[in-house]
Amino acid sequence: ERSYFRLIRSHKLSGDLHKCVEVFNLMVSAGLQWKEQTGCTMVEVYGKLGQIEEAESIFQDMRNRGGYPDVVSCNTMLNVYAQAGMPEQADQLFQQMAAKGVTLPDTQSYTIVMKAYGKAGRSRESMVLFQAMREEGLELDEVSYNTVINVCGGEMPAMEAVRLIREMQENGYSPSMVTRNAILSVVAKSGRMEDVQELFEDFTEQGSVDGYSFSIVVDAFGKRRQLEKMEATISAAAAARISSVEMYNAAIDAYGKAGLFGTMENGLMRLQSVGLHPNAVSFNSIIHSYGTCGMLTEMEEAFERLRVAGLKPDIYTFNTLIAAYGDADMPHASVQVLRQMHEEGIFPDEVTYNSLISAFEKAGDFLEAARWSLWKNQAGFSSK
RNA sequence: UUUGCUACUUCCAGGA
């Protein structure tokens, strides 16, 4: 058991999730009974693969074996729901933990459920949990504060935000880099670019900016199509020798969405010229940009370039292609992409089904659209 | 080193 666990863990660390599943299946078919640690790791692995049902089934096995899963396993399952954008399921498990009294939720449990609601745009529920957390007398650590800033910061009146930061400091957490970046990100999402600039300048003077800070600002300028300011920020990052793939990806996406394909491609070159390597996100942006304006040849070439770069397409890549062919009134090409996706071991998610349904609707094939809608439901996704 | 926080990409919706 132990050596299987170690093998699974090392595959997980190197990011090869399919290998984890392989080893786990081997272990099961060898008749070995896995321990909670192993189960917990597999819950996380299946979650990252988007196979929520598998994760649930492992977790359920843990329950069936008598003793309730410990708080770590529960938190892992909660986090799978959070990542998958399933706040109700997370909350349900959370309630069960509290009700049964065997595995009381801890600070992390609360934090994860707050994040789950936050991701779903339901910051009100997150605030309620935050209050509950204080009433329970639970310790609020830096991560939980940062999470609150991230999910509720945008909705909070300025005064309340200031109070939160002060409370954080009183509890012994002076704003860390993560906290500063979370604030920067919240302000950036609100679209107040003058404030973003001012904050960023302050942070820069204080010498507390990192790769996250730069990409947050580059992305914010890019999304608002303030391309010259975006470029100035990229130059500043280069001068400070703090460049990241994410920063360049944000620029590539901005140029692509602005229809400036030459500059977009140039962004990919620049990324490489500073010694960075593009990732799937880089190509996904490019594929999307060509796809949405009907440049299907260029799109397919970009898909090919992704592989030539030694990268693997992910769920975003496939969903983007499916949507692009749908847009181009080629729903059967979309289905072809789905097959390819399946062959590569990637499971369709809700977006995949939505795109296929739209593809057939757009082509006027409502019967086929209805069938995909049915299949979507059968796969456990609710109707649109 | 079995779990949680800040940056980039897909459908839909929303917001301006």
Side-chain angles (χ1 to χ4, degrees):
Chain A
E1 211 281 338
R2 188 154 179 79
S3 44
Y4 277 104
F5 170 62
R6 285 201 181 138
L7 193 53
I8 291 173
R9 192 180 52 185
S10 81
H11 282 312
K12 194 188 110 198
L13 283 176
S14 66
D16 197 342
L17 303 177
H18 287 103
K19 272 273 190 339
C20 295
V21 174
E22 233 172 74
V23 175
F24 181 69
N25 288 337
L26 220 56
M27 178 177 167
V28 170
S29 54
L32 279 168
Q33 179 84 297
W34 45 265
K35 295 210 181 83
E36 179 149 356
Q37 282 189 358
T38 312
C40 185
T41 303
M42 289 312 297
V43 168
E44 196 189 353
V45 166
Y46 279 124
K48 288 205 172 112
L49 286 170
Q51 296 174 243
I52 312 300
E53 284 170 21
E54 292 294 334
E56 280 174 328
S57 124
I58 304 267
F59 187 69
Q60 195 57 46
D61 280 351
M62 282 155 98
R63 290 171 141 172
N64 295 341
R65 291 178 179 189
Y68 207 78
D70 66 18
V71 71
V72 172
S73 302
C74 290
N75 287 349
T76 306
M77 191 65 226
L78 284 176
N79 197 44
V80 166
Y81 286 132
Q83 308 258 35
M86 301 164 75
E88 288 87 3
Q89 285 83 345
D91 205 352
Q92 196 185 341
L93 173 56
F94 178 81
Q95 302 290 349
Q96 285 171 12
M97 288 166 72
K100 296 227 168 123
V102 267
T103 314
L104 285 177
D106 63 6
T107 300
Q108 292 196 28
S109 322
Y110 277 90
T111 306
I112 296 166
V113 181
M114 286 195 296
K115 182 182 72 169
Y117 277 121
K119 276 186 63 147
R122 294 164 59 174
S123 46
R124 228 180 55 97
E125 278 98 335
S126 300
M127 284 305 294
V128 170
L129 279 164
F130 185 47
Q131 280 307 331
M133 216 172 153
R134 301 168 133 155
E135 281 158 22
E136 294 285 323
L138 271 170
E139 169 217 9
L140 289 154
D141 62 10
E142 202 206 314
V143 174
S144 49
Y145 277 115
N146 289 339
T147 303
V148 173
I149 292 172
N150 189 36
V151 304
C152 310
E155 310 249 315
M156 273 172 18
M159 283 307 293
E160 205 176 320
V162 170
R163 221 176 53 205
L164 181 68
I165 303 283
R166 190 174 302 143
E167 181 189 314
M168 207 175 153
Q169 284 170 327
E170 280 162 7
N171 284 329
Y173 305 111
S174 60
S176 66
M177 186 82 85
V178 172
T179 308
R180 287 165 204 263
N181 286 338
I183 294 169
L184 198 59
S185 162
V186 163
V187 177
K189 277 181 206 137
S190 80
R192 304 183 53 86
M193 289 311 294
E194 331 74 44
D195 293 346
V196 170
Q197 253 176 304
E198 201 180 314
L199 267 176
F200 188 62
E201 276 162 22
D202 288 350
F203 292 166
T204 305
E205 277 168 25
Q206 295 161 15
S208 61
V209 287
D210 65 2
Y212 280 80
S213 329
F214 277 106
S215 40
I216 291 166
V217 176
V218 166
D219 183 53
F221 281 132
K223 288 229 172 11
R224 314 198 85 75
R225 301 290 181 270
Q226 304 193 22
L227 301 178
E228 43 326 290
K229 289 194 173 167
M230 182 180 83
E231 278 301 332
T233 311
I234 294 174
S235 302
R241 294 176 196 284
I242 308 177
S243 298
S244 63
V245 174
E246 289 80 0
M247 180 185 78
Y248 282 100
N249 284 348
I252 289 170
D253 190 58
Y255 286 125
K257 292 215 165 84
L260 302 168
F261 303 120
T263 322
M264 172 185 78
E265 293 285 358
N266 192 39
L268 194 62
M269 306 295 294
R270 285 198 288 161
L271 184 162
Q272 288 165 295
S273 73
V274 297
L276 296 169
H277 298 286
N279 58 23
V281 175
S282 323
F283 288 101
N284 290 345
S285 284
I286 295 175
I287 290 168
H288 178 256
S289 295
Y290 288 133
T292 47
C293 68
M295 298 168 68
L296 298 184
T297 311
E298 286 81 355
M299 178 184 82
E300 284 155 7
E301 279 167 7
F303 182 50
E304 194 51 41
R305 283 193 281 152
L306 181 153
R307 293 196 196 274
V308 170
L311 299 166
K312 279 191 169 306
D314 62 13
I315 182 91
Y316 284 83
T317 318
F318 289 116
N319 286 346
T320 304
L321 290 167
I322 288 171
Y325 286 122
D327 249 1
D329 276 327
M330 298 166 66
H332 297 285
S334 297
V335 175
Q336 196 57 44
V337 173
L338 180 77
R339 287 208 188 94
Q340 199 178 342
M341 178 175 168
H342 188 250
E343 279 164 20
E344 305 199 19
I346 294 178
F347 289 74
D349 65 3
E350 185 167 11
V351 173
T352 316
Y353 286 106
N354 288 344
S355 303
L356 284 160
I357 295 165
S358 307
F360 282 106
E361 277 174 352
K362 180 156 193 298
D365 191 344
F366 298 106
L367 180 62
E368 199 64 13
R371 294 174 72 184
W372 282 102
S373 193
L374 186 64
W375 288 328
K376 176 186 168 185
N377 285 329
Q378 286 171 351
F381 301 108
S382 53
S383 306
K384 252 205 266 199

